[in-house]
Amino acid sequence: MSSDMNSLFAAFQDHINVEQELREEIRQVNKDIDQKTREIQTSLQIIHQDGGLSKIPECCVQARKLFLDVKTGFSKLAAIVPGDQYYRFHDHWRFSAQRLAFLASLIVYLEEGKMAMIDEVAEMIGVTTKREEGFHIDLEDYLMGLLQLASELARFAVNSVTNGDYKRPLHVSQFVAELNSGFRLLNLKNDGLRKRFDALKYDVKKIEEIVYDLSIRGLKSEEKSEPPSTST
Amino acid sequence: MSHRDGQSGRGRRGGGGQRQWRPNVGERGKQVIEGLDENSPVIQSFRKFALELDTKHDRYERIVKHSRDITIESKRIIFLLHSIDSESKRETVLTEAQNRINQLNSTIFKEIAIELKGQDSYQYLRSFSAGLQEYIEAVTFLFYLRDGKLPHWDEIQQNIVYDEEKVHLDPVEYFLGVGDLTGELMRCCIQSLGTGSTKSCYEACSFVRDIYIGFISVSSPGHREFSRKLFVLRQSLSKMEMACYTLAVRGNEIPKHMLADVFSSSEVHDAHDEGFCVD
C-alpha cells in the first residue's frame, strides 16, 4: 500500500476514533437518562390502578422530582455535543426525548387538564425549544410525545371507568379530539411521525366508544358537553 | 372513520323522526371539532408547528433537487472521463472535466450552502448525500487519472467553502464516494484492455487493491452503507484481478484488442451496476 493511501486511511481512522469516543460518552449519559425515564414512567402507572386516581397529585410531585435528574442528564448531553452537530448524534437520545415529552405532557395533563406547550416540556427536560438557542427538543420528538400521550390517555379513560370515575373519559375525549384536530393542521411527510399519527384515530375511537358506553347506560354525568338535540 | 359514523347516526335519527337522540360513536368527536375554538392555545400552537415543519420540509426538498442536479452532472463528468482512450485526447478531456467540476462548485454547491446557512448540516445530510457521493466519485476519478492518487477530503472540502457558508463534507461521505469510484476504475481497467494499454490495467488494479486494504483496515464507522460499499468493492477488485490474470496468462497468446472481448463477454451480466450510465 502506498504511503499516501496509508496516511489517508490513518487520518480516516483517527476521525472514526474521535467520533466513536464521543458516541460512547453520549451513550453513557443517555443510559442514565433512559433509566430515569423508565422510573418516571413506572411511577406514573399508578393512575391506572385501583384507587390510584386519588393519588395523582402526589404521584405528579414524585415524577417531577425525578425529572430533575433528567435535567442533569440533558445538561451533560448539551455539554458534550458540539453546538452545530445536534442532528449528527440525535439518534442516540431521540427515543428518550420522545418518551420524556410524553411523560412531561402526561404530568401537565394530570395536574392541569391541558396540553403541555412545547416550552413547558422543554423546561421540564432542561432544554430549549429552538436550535439556535442551544440544546433543544426537536419539534417532531415533542409531537411524537403528544401522540404517545393520546394512547396513554385512552388507557387511562378505560381504567378510570373501571375505577369508578365516569367524568374523566369525557374530559379525555375532549382533550384528544382537540389534539387530533391540531395534528390535522400539519402537513406530515411520509415519515415516522405520519405513521404514528395514523394510529391516533384508534385512540380517538377507543375513547369515543367509552363515552358511548357511558352515555347509553346513563352513566354519563350530564353537567357538561351536553349533546345539542336532547329535546324532541 | 368518525365522519362516516357520524353520518349514519344522523341518518337514523332522521328516519326515526321523534325518537330520542342517541349518542353515536364518532358523533362526539364531530361535535368537539365543530365547536372547536380556533383561537385555543392548542390550535394556535399547532399552526405554528405546521409552519415550522413546512419550512423544514421545503428546505429539504429544495436541497434534494439540487442534489439530483449534482448527481446528473457528476455522472456526465464520469462518462466524459471514461472517453479518454488516447494520450492525445487526455489533456483536453481532463481540462474539460475540471472546468465542469469548478462549474458545479460555483453554482449548485453554492446554492446548497446558502440553504444550509445557519442550519445544522447533519439535519439535512440525507437530502444531499447522494449527490455529494456522486460528486466525490467524479472528483476522485479525475484526481486518479491526473495524479494517480486519492486526494485528502480537505482538498475537496475547500472547494465547497464560500464566504460565510459551506457544504460540510463528512469524511464518511467521502469514503462512501471513494467506494463508488472503485466501480469506475474497474470499468476503466477493463476498457484499457481493449485499447491494449496493459500498464494502466495493472495500475488501476493495484490502486483499487490499496483502497480495499484501506477499507478493511479501518474499523467500521457504524454506517450501514459502509459495509455494503465494501462488499461491492470486493467484487470489483476480484474482477480486476481476474482481468490482470487473463492478461498475464493469455496476453502473449492472442492479439491485445481481443483480450477485451474475452473479458467483456463475462461482463454482460452486471450491466445493472449503478454509476456508469448517462441519463
Side-chain angles (χ1 to χ4, degrees), chain A residues 34-123:
Chain A
D34 204 45
Q35 173 63 32
K36 282 294 158 206
T37 309
R38 266 179 283 129
E39 274 178 45
I40 297 170
Q41 195 169 11
T42 314
S43 75
L44 284 170
Q45 288 304 306
I46 284 187
I47 64 171
H48 298 294
Q49 287 162 9
D50 188 19
L53 293 172
S54 57
K55 292 187 194 132
I56 286 178
E58 52 175 307
C59 170
C60 287
V61 172
Q62 188 60 30
R64 273 190 186 268
K65 259 188 215 143
L66 290 167
F67 255 99
L68 295 179
D69 296 325
V70 169
K71 259 186 168 171
T72 320
F74 270 90
S75 68
K76 275 187 206 154
L77 273 189
I80 53 178
V81 176
D84 56 347
Q85 299 183 8
Y86 181 93
Y87 287 98
R88 182 178 182 185
F89 303 106
H90 184 204
D91 283 340
H92 289 289
W93 60 80
R94 172 180 277 146
F95 294 106
S96 313
Q98 290 174 358
R99 193 126 53 111
L100 286 164
F102 150 55
L103 293 170
S105 55
L106 177 60
I107 292 172
V108 171
Y109 175 79
L110 291 172
E111 285 173 346
E112 302 171 48
K114 67 177 191 58
M115 187 183 99
M117 293 298 152
I118 188 166
D119 36 354
E120 290 173 78
V121 171
E123 213 284 316

Side-chain angles (χ1 to χ4, degrees), chain B residues 9-65:
Chain B
R10 204 183 308 142
R12 211 185 310 156
R13 239 188 302 153
Q18 300 296 312
R19 227 191 297 165
Q20 236 222 317
W21 182 85
R22 278 167 60 193
N24 216 304
V25 180
E27 190 74 38
R28 198 189 149 75
K30 217 171 66 183
Q31 283 166 22
V32 172
I33 288 170
E34 277 165 3
L36 209 64
D37 182 6
E38 269 298 297
N39 297 318
S40 82
V42 173
I43 296 302
Q44 275 184 339
S45 55
F46 267 95
R47 285 199 194 285
K48 256 185 269 161
F49 299 155
L51 201 66
E52 199 176 323
L53 286 180
D54 285 350
T55 313
K56 190 182 94 181
H57 293 161
D58 290 350
R59 174 173 287 118
Y60 191 92
E61 290 306 325
R62 285 196 301 273
I63 298 177
V64 167
K65 268 191 201 162

Side-chain angles (χ1 to χ4, degrees), chain B:
Chain B
M1 172 214 72
S2 66
H3 186 63
R4 202 189 46 224
D5 287 350
Q7 269 187 339
S8 73
R10 204 183 308 142
R12 211 185 310 156
R13 239 188 302 153
Q18 300 296 312
R19 227 191 297 165
Q20 236 222 317
W21 182 85
R22 278 167 60 193
N24 216 304
V25 180
E27 190 74 38
R28 198 189 149 75
K30 217 171 66 183
Q31 283 166 22
V32 172
I33 288 170
E34 277 165 3
L36 209 64
D37 182 6
E38 269 298 297
N39 297 318
S40 82
V42 173
I43 296 302
Q44 275 184 339
S45 55
F46 267 95
R47 285 199 194 285
K48 256 185 269 161
F49 299 155
L51 201 66
E52 199 176 323
L53 286 180
D54 285 350
T55 313
K56 190 182 94 181
H57 293 161
D58 290 350
R59 174 173 287 118
Y60 191 92
E61 290 306 325
R62 285 196 301 273
I63 298 177
V64 167
K65 268 191 201 162
H66 291 316
S67 163
R68 227 172 269 150
D69 290 343
I70 291 175
T71 308
I72 293 168
E73 178 62 5
S74 300
K75 282 190 175 176
R76 287 187 181 145
I77 294 171
I78 291 166
F79 188 73
L80 172 75
L81 288 169
H82 272 296
S83 73
I84 299 178
D85 49 9
S86 63
E87 274 305 307
S88 56
K89 253 175 106 178
R90 198 180 143 86
E91 274 313 306
T92 39
V93 168
L94 290 182
T95 317
E96 193 193 332
Q98 182 64 60
N99 287 341
R100 286 169 72 169
I101 285 169
N102 293 345
Q103 184 70 20
L104 270 183
N105 293 339
S106 61
T107 55
I108 309 179
F109 270 107
K110 186 153 189 192
E111 297 279 338
I112 294 183
I114 290 168
E115 289 288 354
L116 290 176
K117 190 178 178 186
Q119 303 292 325
D120 182 336
S121 149
Y122 287 96
Q123 188 174 14
Y124 297 95
L125 184 62
R126 279 204 308 202
S127 66
F128 63 92
S129 157
L132 186 60
Q133 286 179 29
E134 201 70 35
Y135 166 81
I136 290 163
E137 189 177 337
V139 175
T140 49
F141 194 25
L142 175 66
F143 260 87
Y144 168 75
L145 292 172
R146 198 173 50 199
D147 311 327
K149 66 184 185 94
L150 274 185
H152 190 276
W153 57 87
D154 282 342
E155 274 183 72
I156 299 179
Q157 171 72 82
Q158 68 192 9
N159 290 328
I160 45 179
V161 174
Y162 308 94
D163 304 333
E164 289 171 37
E165 57 273 336
K166 66 170 188 173
V167 179
H168 175 71
L169 170 57
D170 193 89
V172 176
E173 295 291 312
Y174 173 76
F175 281 97
L176 289 174
V178 169
D180 289 335
L181 166 71
T182 58
E184 302 309 325
L185 293 176
M186 177 192 75
R187 287 182 179 82
C188 203
C189 168
I190 307 297
Q191 220 178 22
S192 55
L193 278 181
T195 57
S197 155
T198 52
K199 184 165 160 283
S200 65
C201 184
Y202 286 128
E203 270 172 12
C205 182
S206 74
F207 189 71
V208 171
R209 192 179 295 128
D210 280 354
I211 293 178
Y212 178 69
I213 296 170
F215 265 70
I216 54 173
S217 74
V218 296
S219 61
S220 163
H223 209 289
R224 231 174 288 131
E225 245 188 299
F226 207 78
S227 48
R228 201 177 54 80
K229 288 271 152 81
L230 184 57
F231 178 73
V232 178
L233 170 51
R234 198 188 156 83
Q235 278 184 326
S236 303
L237 179 59
S238 314
K239 273 179 209 155
M240 293 172 84
E241 285 174 341
M242 275 312 287
C244 293
Y245 162 85
T246 312
L247 203 60
V249 175
R250 307 178 65 174
N252 300 325
E253 298 167 6
I254 46 177
K256 276 181 176 156
H257 65 272
M258 286 176 68
L259 273 171
D261 295 338
V262 172
F263 225 81
S264 58
S265 54
S266 62
E267 273 307 290
V268 181
H269 64 273
D270 35 65
H272 66 273
D273 228 358
E274 54 100 36
F276 187 54
C277 64
V278 166
D279 23 14

